[in-house]
Each structure stands twice: as structure tokens, then as C-alpha cells.
Amino acid sequence: MTHVVTENCIKCKYTDCVDVCPVDCFKEGPNFLVIDPDECIDCGVCVPECPANAIFAEEDVPSDQVQFIAINAELTPSFTTINRSKKPLDDADEWNGKTDKLQYLEK
């Protein structure tokens, strides 16, 4: 199994989770992070570190977010590995918790 970054990360891109990952499985896109399903060791240390509550174990992904399992896998090859936290997007706090953000995902 793996962990999955879901919709609430879009336009927030908090990176607190990246600092605690022991295997550097996070990948960074313009306004979203993904977890490489081939690299994730399912340790779960990233989950409590996410201020947006956007990371779930694959088996716990909410039913309305299941498409993000495929999105993480699909975007992994085109996104860049990130292994240190960075400043979140400037308006991250405004976007945190909003719904229907998939349309804003930049690949």
C-alpha cells in the first residue's frame, strides 16, 4: 500500500510532510504535491504533518477522493522530487479547506 495526496493540497502545497519522509517519495508540481507509489514505504509519518489534512493511507482515501490514487501515480514521473520543505503558496491559507479544486490542478 501507499499514501496518497488528495485534493486539498491543490493551491496550498504545504511541504511540512516532506521533511519527515524517510524515503523522499514526495514529488512537486506547480501547485500540488504527489506521493510516488513505488517509493512510499507506507510508514504514515507524513499524515499528521500535513496542515491541510490532505494525505491518507490508500485504503482510507475518502470515497470522493479516490481518483487521487491514480492522479498521484500518473503525475509522479513528470513532477520533481522534493526532499526539503519550502514556503507554501502565497494564498495557501485562503485555499485550504475549499472544495472542487481539481479544476485548478496544474500539471
Side-chain angles (χ1 to χ4, degrees):
M1 287 293 162
T2 185
H3 279 72
V4 178
V5 180
T6 59
E7 184 175 41
N8 203 39
C9 184
I10 298 170
K11 293 190 78 66
C12 290
K13 202 169 84 169
Y14 298 107
T15 57
D16 306 57
C17 52
V18 172
D19 282 336
V20 298
C21 181
V23 294
D24 298 336
C25 67
F26 283 90
K27 305 286 183 159
E28 176 185 27
N31 69 350
F32 185 62
L33 297 176
V34 297
I35 293 175
D36 182 337
D38 294 330
E39 296 295 325
C40 180
I41 60 171
D42 201 29
C43 68
V45 297
C46 57
V47 175
E49 298 301 317
C50 179
N53 297 316
I55 303 173
F56 296 88
E58 184 175 354
E59 62 271 14
D60 296 330
V61 172
S63 59
D64 65 336
Q65 300 287 300
V66 171
Q67 72 265 30
F68 282 90
I69 297 170
I71 289 170
N72 276 242
E74 173 192 325
L75 295 178
T76 288
S78 60
F79 282 11
T80 306
T81 299
I82 178 173
N83 54 23
R84 293 211 159 185
S85 61
K86 296 180 177 182
K87 183 178 177 267
L89 297 176
D90 290 337
D91 55 354
D93 291 338
E94 295 170 37
W95 282 96
N96 188 7
K98 292 195 176 184
T99 58
D100 299 319
K101 296 194 310 184
L102 184 56
Q103 62 187 322
Y104 302 109
L105 176 59
E106 296 176 31
K107 299 176 184 181

